[in-house]
Amino acid sequence: MAHKKGVGSSKNGRESASQRLGIKIYGGQAVTAGNIIVRQRGNKHFPGAGVAQGKDDTLYALIDGTVNFHRGKFDKSVVSVIPTAEA
């Protein structure tokens, strides 16, 4: 019996779970307040009207409405929520 692990198996075993980042609700889709729109690291997309940013840079809706991706100042990607018209 070997008293040390083989070279191959001891170098493995460091695979981390994926972080499931990315856009969760796309432009034109309906959201309710509190829904996560984008999970990101850093500011790939910036919060606009009706959107707030969490401490882990996640963008989420503050109001019910429709998601809108557009270009803002300095050509940066901005995510807004356009409120639905009350009937």
Side-chain angles (χ1 to χ4, degrees):
M1 290 290 283
H3 65 280
K4 295 203 178 224
K5 284 189 173 185
V7 173
S9 62
S10 65
K11 289 187 175 180
N12 297 335
R14 281 183 299 279
E15 186 69 31
S16 59
S18 63
Q19 296 182 336
R20 279 90 173 174
L21 302 177
I23 297 173
K24 305 300 177 187
I25 300 175
Y26 291 91
Q29 290 185 300
V31 289
T32 56
N35 281 12
I36 292 174
I37 302 169
V38 180
R39 307 266 283 139
Q40 60 185 353
R41 294 292 169 262
N43 280 105
K44 184 174 172 69
H45 306 281
F46 288 81
V51 176
Q53 182 171 333
K55 68 174 188 170
D56 64 346
D57 300 320
T58 296
L59 300 184
Y60 59 93
L62 293 174
I63 57 175
D64 297 351
T66 306
V67 176
N68 179 31
F69 286 82
H70 56 95
R71 291 286 170 183
K73 197 172 182 181
F74 304 114
D75 205 37
K76 294 184 184 288
S77 175
V78 177
V79 183
S80 300
V81 173
I82 301 167
T84 51
E86 296 295 323

